[in-house]
Structures are given as structure tokens and as C-alpha cells.
Amino acid sequence: GGGRASLSLLYADAGRIAVDASYSGSGAEGNAGLSLTGSVSAVVAPQDFEWTDLPAGAQRAGMPFGALLRARNAAGAVTPNFGLEGETVQLSHQRRSPTGAGAVDGSLSTGASTLSAGTFRYAELRWSEVGRIDLSASLVGGSYLGSGMNVLGNTGVAGAIGPFRPHHLRVGATEACGGYSYAGQPFGVTVSARNASEAVTLNYFSGGGHARDLSFTDAGAPALGLGSISPAALPASAFSAGEASTQLAYVFTSKASGPGSLLLRATDSDGVSSSAQAGADDSMSLRSGRLVLQSALGSAQRNLSLPMRLEHWRNGAWVVTSDDTCTVPSGAWHSGVAQSGRVGAGGAPAGWSSPVQSISLSAGVGSVVLAAPNASGAVDLALNLGSSASDRACLAGPRPTTTGLGLPWLRSRQGSVHGCGTREDSDPSGRASFGAPAGQANKVHERVID
């Protein structure tokens, strides 16, 4: 009535539409010949965006994954006109895990998409980090064809995509002695979790739920096969901001082994490994080393020098190690020398002393120098290379407590006397004989160093 009429219109697609109306009078209504026309335009926006074909299961940080994004009407049907009118979509992500201190959002790259009948196909979505995420979509500009209506859609609020794991681990090993490490000597190791672009994944950390315990293996082809890595594992609790540091050692089964090269590989309990990226394993040169102290005979009125050698196993024999950069004697070494079994001339108890004057080592050759006792006799020496107050030298009888030098990797088989047998963790030892006739030193203390 009143020259007005209301119409309910339904348009199932999206876009800008024009509605045309016309009226033709009739004689029955008394307006024969009357003709009216009019038109109006309207914008019909999609109701929302729907994500489909999301990837299932674990993903690798920085690697592409795909998904579909559909513009829908109120009935849930795709609006095939969307995108043809020039509207574009912007994507974002929401990190759902990990949460708390140290967690970062990372970056989402979308790559190119293809549009077909209101559906965007994304094949190059990439998230740079570790954890779980949801995806959101909205209109660029936030207003569909200037109407003020935005179109939104997301994958949820619980982390629908993931878990994302590191693409690979990267191992860095630092030689403990210049260009190599001795077997049994701790060397520094770093492990970092990386994405496909080599950036550290900061969300791989202890307490975030995404770091994992990992193990170390020898990945050489063929493997070194001369011993074992110790410790062979690293707990997830060691990781902070995607990185962890530790110390490992490779222990030879037999001292008469090597040299060789260890190719160190790390693999976590999810199967993420340094093997997934070329060059992400790291190699370590290894030698079997030992420190040897020899007996000496000299005047009772002069300082006595006991020869000392640093050696490593090569080509079936012990050879002098001339390039060692980590075994450096200092004044502290004096407290690591145990003197015992002191006797005077003829084996009688001795009341004299012969303190250590100096200990030197250069290019693998050195000495332990004792002060002249000004009395004839002999004394046994042991160099405590361990960490306790007791040495492990192949000598009989009690010995004084000493300060261990913390070099147990230089222990070795030091002879078969006094029940040592083939034990390969004996400390170096020798006998200093003062004022004895030539040859008496060997008679007092015979010892064969293997």
C-alpha cells in the first residue's frame, strides 16, 4: 500500500548485482497505460571462508604444505564468483604451541595460489618454526567491494596444523687438542634444530613440549668402529632456543687403535636427524694417546732428569706426538707427582728427599726433574693423570695422595709388573736412582712399557 512494495531477494553467489523493476498499469486498477521502471544495485558478500584439505600429521619447519580456502554463502555452498570481482585474500597464522616464555610466532609464507570457482588452492604454505598453528583468512582491506563487510575464516583454536618439527639437526664438534681429540678426551659439541632454510627453530626448547631427547651415532661409511661414544645421548632439557651444548668423548676399545675420523650424527626421538641435510653431520679426528715416564740414573749431587714422552698410536706403533697443543705442564703438575718406595744405599730406609724441580714437555718430548738428594738411593715416581687423590701406577706399596691432573685419556698399559697385567688405564711411572752403579736402576725396578 501507499505505492510501496517489499521484496525478499536471495542471491546464492557473491558480487555486485543490479535489481531491475518495472510496472505496467491496467484498466482494472484505473491506471491503464501507466508504465514505471527502476533499478537498484546491491553487494552480496560471502558468508565466510572455509579451510579444507589441511595437511595431516607431522610437518617439517620451512617445508611446503598445501590447503584449500573456499568462499561460502550462508548455506555453506561455494560462491564461484568470489575473486573474479578483484577481491583478494590475506592469510595469517596463530601459534597454539608452544606457549610461555621463550616461544616465538615465527613467520608464515604463503607462496602463490590458484583460483578456481571461488576456491583458492595453496601449495607453498611454509611455517618457519616448531609447534602447532592455526590459519586465518580475511579480505585485504577488510571491506567487500566497499560494503564494509569483511569475510573471515580460520582452521580453529586448537592448533589444527602440526606438530611442526625441525627440518633437521645440525651438529658442530670442536676438536679438544688443536686439529684432533684424543680418544677418551672430552670435546665440545653443539646441536641446533634448524628449519629448511637453515634458521634455528627457537621453539625447540626444554619445557615447550617440542624438544626431544636425542642420541649420537657414528655415521661414517664405514663407521670408525674402534670404540663407542660417551655419553651417547642428550636430554631434551639441554635445549634452549633451539640449541644445546655438551661434551662427548669417543673411547677406543683398545689403546692400540687409530688414528681415525668420527662422523658425528644426532637423531632425536621423533626421527629428526642431522642426516636430513648435507653437511649437517660433523667430523672429528681422533688419536689414541699416552704419556710415558722413563727411569733414570744419575749423580746424588746433581738434579736428575727423568725423560717423559707424549705419544700416539700410528701404523702399528707408538710415535712421538709433536703437534699436541693441549697437554701443557704447569706448576700445578708438581702436585700430581707421587713419590714412594724411597730407599737409601743398599735398600735401607732413607731420610733424604728430592722434590720436583720442574716438569716440561715440548713437541712431545720432556722430563720430570728432581732435586739432588746428596745421598745415594732410589725413589719411585708416578704421575697421577686421573681426577682422584690416588694414582693408578703399576707400583707396589702405598703412595701419598696427590692432585689428579685430569688427563685420564693419556693413561695406558704401563707394563706387567705388580699385577697390572694388560690393564690400559695405568698412570706413567718410573724410578729415579741416585748414586747407583750403571745398570742398578733396572735391577731395582724392572718394567716393560708395551
Side-chain angles (χ1 to χ4, degrees), residues 78-166:
V78 177
T79 54
N81 282 344
F82 182 80
L84 301 178
E85 75 290 83
E87 287 287 353
T88 55
V89 177
Q90 60 186 5
L91 306 184
S92 61
H93 72 287
Q94 297 78 46
R95 170 179 48 86
R96 303 303 184 192
S97 70
T99 58
V104 300
D105 290 335
S107 61
L108 178 75
S109 60
T110 60
S113 64
T114 58
L115 172 65
S116 176
T119 299
F120 290 90
R121 180 179 296 275
Y122 294 91
E124 295 289 330
L125 296 168
R126 302 170 191 260
W127 188 41
S128 65
E129 263 299 335
V130 165
R132 288 183 174 272
I133 60 171
D134 283 304
L135 297 177
S136 294
S138 62
L139 295 176
V140 174
S143 177
Y144 185 72
L145 297 178
S147 67
M149 294 182 289
N150 201 351
V151 184
L152 305 172
N154 61 66
T155 59
V157 294
I161 307 177
F164 285 82
R165 295 169 179 163

Side-chain angles (χ1 to χ4, degrees), residues 4 12 18 27 41 44 100 111 113 127 129 157-158 176 203 213 232 245 251 325 327 361 363 375 397 422:
R4 296 176 179 273
S41 65
V44 182
S113 64
W127 188 41
E129 263 299 335
V157 294
N203 287 344
D213 296 342
S245 298
V251 181
T325 62
T327 310
L361 188 64
T422 59

Side-chain angles (χ1 to χ4, degrees), residues 22-26 29 31 33-36:
S22 63
Y23 176 80
S24 297
S26 66
E29 297 175 351
N31 54 13
L34 180 61
S35 177
L36 299 175

Side-chain angles (χ1 to χ4, degrees), residues 23 28 35 70 82 126 141 143 192 196-197 252 306 326 358 384 391 423 439:
Y23 176 80
S35 177
R70 308 192 306 171
F82 182 80
R126 302 170 191 260
S143 177
S192 57
S197 299
F252 285 162
L306 282 74
C326 60
S358 65
N384 183 358
D391 64 75
R423 198 182 77 198

